[in-house]
Every structure is written in structure tokens, then in C-alpha cells.
Amino acid sequence: MQALVLEKIHELSLRDFPLERQEETLGPRDVRIKLHTVGICGSDVHYYTHGRIGPFVVEAPMILGHEASGTVIETGSEVTTLKEGDRVCMEPGIPDPNSRATRLGLYNIDPAVRFWATPPVHGILRPTCVHPEAFTFKLPDNVSFAEAAMVEPLAVGVHAATKAQVKPGDVALVMGAGPIGLVTALSALAAGCARVYVSDLDDAKLEIAAGLGAITPINVTRDDPAKVILAETEGWGAEIVFEATGSPKAAASVFEPLSPGGRVVMIGGQAEPISYDAGAAMVREARVENIFRYAHVFPRCVKMLASGAIDVKPLITRTFGFEDSVRAFEIAASAPKGDVKMQIELPQ
């Protein structure tokens, strides 16, 4: 089948790619899905530009892509909740159902989880895939394929807001106006925040952020987020700080705008250990949470898109045809200003 293949660092090709039989075999509780829309994630781009993320190293050609929607075209003999023709989105991580982490409900941090486009597991920038019914979710009629392919990144934001234990009326700061930062801002508002500040270097992305709701953009090249927030909260600060930049410099400053008793949620991946101001955390009795992907939130995300509680459409800034996949990744790797989420549509 034709697939977008990462051959090695800085080398992509769109070519026929044979998959092992077990990847194509439909089990009794599996569904076969014709892919429609696949988002380009920062992790996909990082594998393209660096060949690794932490301990996950690309050592052989790998198909990219894990943010996806499509249509069920075949069902296993024991599938009961889905049928041929259903429009769906898919949670890309499949844990070991018998692992201790999974049995505790922590399936996202199961060491044995198999996650699309994470070496050595192939992604889904290809015509079809086989996936478990349990991790495949039917779409309401009013949720488009493009919106459905945003459920995966949105799940990160919803998981982060859940970890933050947002209370109605909280003020939050989201550091970073990339795709994950903006879905986190949307999730924080949906969870009850009265005001969300979003900080970034890119005015075009901050302009998108400002149009999403009760969001105040802060360009860090001109203003200090801590000073702005403290001035506008009578010196109290933000009850929640979400770090979504992956920048060591930004991560080192997470406690500066934080209120007493505040919560910090670390979202952005850090390639190296970062500095941590234990004293600043201590005097605030700050609670620091870390997240790894998400768990138990895909159905919530689908329902919020369907109800209009969250609108991700403004974040989709560019769409490519499957035949232009290589060029799409080259553009994504150049990090053009103003682009938030790029997506690829497969032939139907």
C-alpha cells in the first residue's frame, strides 16, 4: 500500500510499503478503517528532523502519522458498537490489557503500550489500518473528519485540564501557542477558567488564540507574562500554569506567575533535564503535575466537539492532499509563522 515513509533523518518518501501480516489481520474485536484525514503532529516532525524522541529511535523505515479519522469498512466477528460505514476517530495507543498500569486505569503509561508512529510501531499515513474496537470512537453527524482528526491533540489538553483540577473562575496561563498550547487553552476554558492567558513569540498564533474566547495573548518578546498577570490579578497570580512550549527557558519560569497554592502542569516534552526553582515552588505550596499523552478522555472530546463546547476549526490552518505529503512535512518542519495545525487528506 502507498504510505508516507520516514526512511531516515530528513528523508521522506511516498511509496508502496509492505506491512507485516499481523498488522493487516482483522481480529474478532477489531475494525478495518479507511483513513480520511491525518494531522501532522510535532512528534512526527521531530522524528523527521531528529530521528528520535528520548529513548524512541527510528532505526528502520517507519510510516508516520497518529492523529486520524476515517470510515469503518470491515468489522470483526465480535464487534458490537461499530458497523461498516461508521465515521470514526481512533485513539492511537494500544496498551497491554493485562499490565499492572492498565489494570490501575493508567493505560497511557503502560510501558508496553504500542503507539502509532512511535518506533518501532508504524503510523497511519496510509490508505487503511486495523484497530481495536475499544479504541475506536463513532463520530456524531455534525463532527467533520477534520475536526475528528483534532481529537487526538485535544485529548492532551483535556487530560492536562483534568490534571490541573480546574475550578470555576480560575485564571490560567498557557505557555506556548502551538497546537497543544491552544487546545489546552480551549480545554481550560471549557473546564471553567474565567480567563486564560497565552504566551508565545508568534503574533500570528497569538491572534488566533485571542479569537478563541476569554483569552489574553502575551508576546514574550515585548511583555513579561508574570508581570502582566500579577498586575491584572491584584498581585495574586494565576491559579494554574500550563507549560506547553518544551523550552527549558520557559519551563524554568513556571512559578513566577503562579498564585499561592497554585498548580503547574508540565505538558511540553523536554529533551534534557531542566532547572527547577524548588524555593519558589515551596513558598507557594505549588503542586506540579506531569502528563504523558492522555487517558479516558477521547469520548469526552468527541462530545465537546459535537456540542460546540470546544471549537477546534480555527486551529486547522492548512490542508494538503496525500500526494503532497512530503512537501507538507517539509513546510511543517520549517515552522512557518501563523500555522497551527496542518492536516493531510487521503484519497477516498
Side-chain angles (χ1 to χ4, degrees), residues 34-36 127 322-323 345-348:
K34 181 176 177 60
L35 279 306
H36 187 287
F322 187 51
E323 68 277 7
E345 287 188 357
L346 284 86
Q348 298 304 302

Side-chain angles (χ1 to χ4, degrees), residues 13-295:
S13 63
L14 197 59
R15 64 176 174 91
D16 286 327
F17 192 90
L19 290 169
E20 295 180 11
R21 172 170 286 186
Q22 63 261 33
E23 288 211 35
E24 289 296 283
T25 301
L26 188 76
R29 295 183 180 177
D30 294 335
V31 293
R32 193 180 308 276
I33 300 157
K34 181 176 177 60
L35 279 306
H36 187 287
T37 302
V38 179
I40 299 177
C41 178
S43 66
D44 295 318
V45 175
H46 199 82
Y47 282 125
Y48 167 52
T49 56
H50 292 77
R52 68 180 299 157
I53 296 177
F56 302 106
V57 182
V58 180
E59 297 178 337
M62 181 182 77
I63 301 173
L64 292 171
H66 63 263
E67 305 174 359
S69 62
T71 303
V72 174
I73 57 174
E74 187 180 358
T75 61
S77 59
E78 298 179 14
V79 170
T80 60
T81 63
L82 296 168
K83 65 183 185 304
E84 185 177 331
D86 282 346
R87 300 163 58 255
V88 294
C89 63
M90 299 80 81
E91 186 168 347
I94 305 172
D96 174 0
N98 299 311
S99 75
R100 183 172 182 176
T102 300
R103 287 185 284 111
L104 289 171
L106 307 172
Y107 67 85
N108 57 315
I109 50 176
D110 170 18
V113 68
R114 291 176 56 81
F115 197 92
W116 281 336
T118 300
V121 182
H122 290 297
I124 40 69
L125 270 164
R126 48 188 161 112
T128 65
C129 70
V130 171
H131 204 56
E133 173 191 20
F135 290 89
T136 304
F137 303 91
K138 185 176 178 179
L139 301 175
D141 291 340
N142 66 334
V143 175
S144 68
F145 284 115
E147 292 171 281
M150 288 292 294
V151 169
E152 197 277 341
L154 177 59
V156 177
V158 172
H159 189 51
T162 303
K163 283 277 192 174
Q165 296 181 2
V166 176
K167 299 180 179 64
D170 277 347
V171 171
L173 166 64
V174 177
M175 305 173 79
I180 296 302
L182 294 185
V183 295
T184 299
L186 287 169
S187 300
L189 288 173
C193 280
R195 169 66 50 181
V196 175
Y197 294 83
V198 175
S199 63
D200 201 272
L201 303 163
D202 186 338
D203 278 326
K205 290 179 180 176
L206 290 171
E207 185 177 349
I208 292 172
L212 298 177
I215 292 176
T216 300
I218 302 173
N219 188 310
V220 296
T221 65
R222 297 191 294 269
D223 295 298
D224 181 338
K227 290 181 179 178
V228 171
I229 292 170
L230 289 169
E232 295 187 7
T233 58
E234 299 180 333
W236 179 251
E239 283 86 4
I240 306 165
V241 173
F242 297 97
E243 201 302 293
T245 67
S247 162
K249 182 179 179 181
S253 66
V254 291
F255 300 113
E256 293 173 12
L258 190 68
S259 73
R263 290 91 73 196
V264 171
V265 182
M266 304 297 288
I267 306 171
Q270 298 287 343
E272 302 292 338
I274 60 172
S275 62
Y276 185 100
D277 190 339
M282 181 178 66
V283 297
R284 291 167 172 80
E285 282 203 351
R287 178 166 57 80
V288 180
E289 294 279 358
N290 293 273
I291 70 163
F292 183 62
R293 297 170 181 157
Y294 38 73

